């Protein structure tokens, strides 16, 4: 059973950067779709982006506007979320999630992901 653990959250000022990490254990995630999601205060959990690890095919939501980038060194290595130009509205709990197969169908829909990490807090102050 694959388990996910996120790390790298913290507190920054507006315009700052953070890099989140997600480590998978318990099995290979090579043929998984893995995504980053966040839950900001007062809103439902929302997708940020996802990657089909085997082919490094990426999907991003529009509101990211190029500020965030998902990366991996290899399909079975740590997954990263590089976040730049952070604003207070980015404050929330960030989650890594996974599901088997490609990301083509509903790449950033939380209900389609079956494995979740515990989340890491990101706080951006003005």
């Amino acid at each position: 059973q694959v388990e996910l653990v996120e790390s790298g959250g913290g507190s920054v000022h507006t315009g700052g950067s953070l890099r989140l990490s997600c480590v998978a254990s318990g099995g290979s995630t090579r043929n998984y779709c893995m995504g980053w999601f966040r839950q900001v205060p007062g809103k439902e959990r929302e997708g940020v982006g996802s990657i089909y690890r085997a082919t490094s095919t990426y999907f991003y939501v529009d509101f990211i506007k190029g500020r965030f980038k998902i990366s991996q060194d290899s399909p079975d290595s740590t997954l990263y979320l590089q976040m730049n130009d952070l604003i207070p509205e980015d404050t929330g709990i960030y989650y890594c999630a996974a599901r088997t197969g490609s990301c083509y169908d509903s790449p950033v829909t939380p209900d389609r992901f079956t494995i979740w990490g515990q989340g890491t807090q990101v706080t951006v102050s003005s």
Side-chain angles (χ1 to χ4, degrees), residues 35-39 44-50 59-64 68 70 81 94-95 107-111 113 116:
W36 285 99
F37 299 81
R38 68 184 189 182
Q39 183 135 32
E44 295 185 353
R45 192 172 298 187
E46 60 185 358
V48 171
S50 63
F59 301 84
Y60 292 101
V61 295
D62 290 341
F63 69 75
I64 297 305
F68 295 1
I70 297 172
L81 179 66
Y94 284 70
Y95 298 90
V108 289
T109 302
D111 290 348
F113 288 76
W116 290 82

Side-chain angles (χ1 to χ4, degrees), residues 19-108:
R19 189 176 77 159
L20 307 184
S21 300
C22 175
V23 176
S25 62
S28 171
T29 57
R30 175 175 293 271
N31 293 306
Y32 278 52
C33 172
M34 292 189 67
W36 285 99
F37 299 81
R38 68 184 189 182
Q39 183 135 32
V40 301
K43 296 182 66 175
E44 295 185 353
R45 192 172 298 187
E46 60 185 358
V48 171
S50 63
I51 175 176
Y52 178 49
R53 305 203 76 179
T55 60
S56 295
T57 303
Y58 297 90
F59 301 84
Y60 292 101
V61 295
D62 290 341
F63 69 75
I64 297 305
K65 297 180 181 178
R67 298 184 298 124
F68 295 1
K69 181 180 179 181
I70 297 172
S71 66
Q72 60 178 14
D73 294 327
S74 68
D76 267 323
S77 68
T78 302
L79 188 71
Y80 301 100
L81 179 66
Q82 178 67 43
M83 303 188 295
N84 300 323
D85 298 323
L86 286 162
I87 58 177
E89 290 76 12
D90 294 320
T91 294
I93 302 173
Y94 284 70
Y95 298 90
C96 175
R99 72 187 198 214
T100 57
S102 77
C103 301
Y104 181 77
D105 183 19
S106 302
V108 289

